[in-house]
Amino acid sequence: MKKVKQTEKDELRAEYKRSDFPGPLVRGKYASRLCKSSNVIILKPEVAEAFPNEEAVNTALLSLIKLVQKTTRLTKRSTGRVKRLHAG
């Protein structure tokens, strides 16, 4: 097999200039597509401080989901009547 010679244009450079790209550069060109297809979230600093890793976040959220499901079931079983205080 013959080795393919790499030209100067095929090599990765440490730095590129705007003139290296034929069309206009657009900042954030793919940002909306990335947001739609990504499941990466950014936590507020105070939340990130409370949850040091992915497992801690998932455990807390799953606990919250279970609590909401239990609470919702309790609400559904209630009669729906509101107790009223009578002025006497």
Side-chain angles (χ1 to χ4, degrees), residues 49-69:
E49 191 175 316
F51 301 102
N53 56 40
E54 175 185 352
E55 185 179 350
V57 173
N58 283 324
T59 300
L61 290 174
L62 288 170
S63 296
L64 182 60
I65 290 169
K66 288 178 184 177
L67 178 64
V68 168
Q69 288 172 342

Side-chain angles (χ1 to χ4, degrees), residues 31-47:
S32 63
R33 186 176 4 166
L34 179 64
C35 287
K36 290 176 186 174
S37 65
S38 176
N39 62 354
V40 174
I41 59 166
I42 306 298
L43 300 176
K44 290 185 178 184
E46 57 269 21
V47 175

Side-chain angles (χ1 to χ4, degrees), residues 4-15:
V4 178
K5 289 184 180 180
Q6 284 189 327
T7 62
E8 213 175 285
K9 285 186 175 184
D10 289 340
E11 293 180 21
L12 290 176
R13 292 181 253 164
E15 190 174 306

